[in-house]
Amino acid sequence: MLTTPVWLSLGFPLPVAIASNQMNGAAWTLIAARNYLRGKTLDWTLIRFMIGFGLAGAYAGTLLVRGVDEQILKRVVGLVIISLVAAVGFSPSLGRGESEPRLSRRVTGMLAFPLGAYESFFGSGNGLFTSFLLSKTRGFPLLTALGYYYVVAFTWNCFAVVIFISAGFADARLMIPSTAGAVLGAYCGSRLGRSKGYGFVRVLFLTVGGILGVKLALGW
């Protein structure tokens, strides 16, 4: 969730930073998904709905980012992330275990449209948003929700990469080393998260999300 702001702080233009972040995501998300979902039976109907509606959103997002004011976007996203972190913080049982679904697969899939749009033009913190959505609507435990996010985000990232590269926003100086680092980090991080369990991931979720939200809201 921190990579796009970091690339921006290093002086890369927003479209280039996002293109590199999408390439990173396309490379590491399936690795993380495998570690979080190993041994679980996947709901492929839900995944197909989320991929389909999310891809439509991703296309809309790639169009939006070319004309958006970067500073306004950062502040708005920061405030949204802070609100989400607060909601999770005040709901200690959310994602601790499996619960009954509240919304259908189709409706949950439709809610992936804005998530796909956000993934394609910024992406930072989208694991927070998607995990929260799946825990609330489908009753998934937090670690399972993260795994599902990584599965669908892989397709959203691949789609966005094609769009951004075709528009000339690829920069190998950033894309190649950052992707290599992302793959290594995803493998180690997802194995650590699975072994440590819900409590560890929740604390990390709140801590990193809170820091990121404040940073973006203040325009840093």
Side-chain angles (χ1 to χ4, degrees):
M1 67 172 64
L2 296 173
T3 50
T4 301
V6 170
W7 306 153
L8 294 175
S9 70
L10 293 176
F12 288 98
L14 179 61
V16 171
I18 294 174
S20 296
N21 196 39
Q22 299 306 318
M23 177 63 80
N24 300 165
W28 70 259
T29 44
L30 288 186
I31 296 173
R34 176 181 178 274
N35 285 335
Y36 279 117
L37 298 174
R38 184 183 303 159
K40 298 183 181 298
T41 300
L42 299 186
D43 186 341
W44 287 107
T45 300
L46 173 63
I47 289 173
R48 285 193 292 269
F49 278 132
M50 294 190 70
I51 288 175
F53 284 105
L55 285 176
Y59 179 71
T62 59
L63 299 178
L64 175 64
V65 72
R66 303 181 195 187
V68 72
D69 185 299
E70 177 184 325
Q71 290 303 315
I72 293 177
L73 174 63
K74 289 169 67 174
R75 286 184 166 85
V76 170
V77 170
L79 292 174
V80 172
I81 290 177
I82 290 172
S83 300
L84 179 59
V85 167
V88 174
F90 286 108
S91 303
S93 62
L94 180 67
R96 184 180 296 276
E98 191 169 356
S99 60
E100 288 296 317
R102 297 184 180 184
L103 295 178
S104 69
R105 294 176 177 87
R106 184 182 297 274
V107 173
T108 301
M110 292 173 65
L111 294 175
F113 180 89
L115 296 174
Y118 180 66
E119 183 76 30
S120 70
F121 71 74
F122 203 66
S124 296
N126 210 15
L128 291 171
F129 299 141
T130 309
S131 298
F132 183 81
L133 171 71
L134 290 173
S135 292
K136 291 290 286 186
T137 63
R138 299 300 300 169
F140 287 172
L142 178 59
L143 298 185
T144 301
L146 277 172
Y148 271 73
Y149 162 69
Y150 294 137
V151 171
V152 298
F154 168 74
T155 62
W156 300 346
N157 287 330
C158 288
F159 179 78
V161 166
V162 172
I163 298 297
F164 281 113
I165 289 180
S166 65
F169 293 123
D171 189 331
R173 297 172 302 166
L174 176 60
M175 193 170 282
I176 294 174
S178 64
T179 299
V183 169
L184 178 61
Y187 178 77
C188 297
S190 58
R191 286 179 63 88
L192 178 64
R194 182 181 173 92
S195 65
K196 293 292 186 180
Y198 169 82
F200 173 80
V201 173
R202 185 175 186 275
V203 170
L204 193 64
F205 189 94
L206 295 174
T207 302
V208 178
I211 293 172
L212 174 64
V214 171
K215 179 180 183 299
L216 293 177
L218 295 177
W220 295 349

